[in-house]
Amino acid sequence: MSERIWTAALAVIGDEILSGRTQDRNIAQLATWLNVQGIRLAEVRVVADRTEAIIEAVNALRERNDYLFTTGGIGPTHDDITVDAIAQALGVGVVHHPRAMAMLEEYYATRGGLTDTRARMARVPDGAELIENRVSGAPGIRWGNIFVMAGVPHITAGMLDTLTGSLEGGRPVVSRTVGCWVAESEVADLLRSTEKAHAGEGGQVAIGSYPFFRDGRVGANFVVRSADPALADRCIADLTGALEADGRAVTQGGI
């Protein structure tokens, strides 16, 4: 029986991402964090600040993954509509979470006080739990398998730190890398046959090819990934041997 694979999706919410005005950095940090938890980031969708778009994305992504994370749209301004849209997707109302209100009151006590505008950051879908935010006071939100987080990367990082170790997952995926000065098309068949040869060893293994052009030459790094370190080691060793037998100089760790 193959090992259970836990998956997560990410909905990046915000017109500023789609317009190119802001470059998203949460995808990489979430993927890295999830891997340590034994969870694979299976898909990412960038969604406009439109209620119907958020609802459609949330319902689609949460249905086919173990976890759904969202980033963006939970601030105090009128265009921060993520909480309302997710509540609609879940079929619940929106309430001011009493502990969130207390946290914000404490945070803003020396920063001008808790205004009605700032209190918007205490609004959650009814039945939600909070994700502590040690950076800016306003908490993230957890509702079932949905995690609603800030769009600002360093705040998101703090929320992920709070969640570390609290999600059920499998074994973390490990990776092994080698590089060659070769066009990937020249070794495509070799990569395919090596991956296939190890696919039936009781665990999952994948070989990714990442070409580059540098110093007037073409090359590629080949990354073997598996939740089984021994399987990854065997596969990278066989890949190295096959490349060298084909007359290729191999650089361990990549170029």
Side-chain angles (χ1 to χ4, degrees), residues 19 57 69 134 150 180 253:
S19 71
F69 290 78
R134 303 184 184 96
C180 282

Side-chain angles (χ1 to χ4, degrees), residues 175-186:
S175 63
R176 306 285 186 261
T177 304
V178 295
C180 282
W181 291 102
V182 63
E184 63 174 351
S185 60
E186 296 179 21

Side-chain angles (χ1 to χ4, degrees), residues 13-147:
I13 299 170
D15 291 339
E16 70 278 7
I17 304 295
L18 289 167
S19 71
R21 188 171 66 251
T22 300
Q23 292 187 342
D24 180 82
R25 299 204 306 274
N26 283 319
I27 297 173
Q29 78 166 347
L30 178 64
T32 301
W33 180 86
L34 284 169
N35 183 53
V36 175
Q37 314 306 309
I39 302 164
R40 300 184 192 180
L41 183 59
E43 53 185 320
V44 177
R45 187 183 298 193
V46 182
V47 185
D49 288 312
R50 291 188 297 107
T51 298
E52 61 274 19
I54 297 171
I55 291 173
E56 194 279 328
V58 165
N59 282 332
L61 295 174
R62 73 186 176 106
E63 184 174 330
R64 59 177 176 254
N65 292 281
D66 296 297
Y67 303 106
L68 168 62
F69 290 78
T70 74
T71 56
I74 61 170
T77 59
H78 71 283
D79 59 342
D80 288 309
I81 62 171
T82 297
V83 169
D84 297 87
I86 290 178
Q88 286 189 48
L90 298 172
V92 301
V94 175
V95 299
H96 282 83
H97 196 290
R99 190 160 70 86
M101 288 291 287
M103 293 164 67
L104 290 170
E105 285 175 357
E106 180 180 356
Y107 181 81
Y108 285 110
T110 58
R111 298 174 173 85
L114 182 59
T115 63
D116 288 344
T117 298
R118 288 169 170 172
R120 281 180 53 83
M121 293 184 289
R123 298 168 72 252
V124 303
D126 196 8
E129 304 172 41
L130 301 182
I131 303 171
E132 185 179 356
N133 171 12
R134 303 184 184 96
V135 179
S136 65
I141 301 164
R142 177 175 185 172
W143 199 101
N145 69 336
I146 302 174
F147 300 83

Side-chain angles (χ1 to χ4, degrees), residues 189-206:
D189 290 341
L190 185 152
L191 298 175
R192 187 181 303 110
S193 61
T194 303
E195 181 181 275
K196 185 177 180 180
H198 290 273
E201 295 188 16
Q204 293 204 354
V205 65

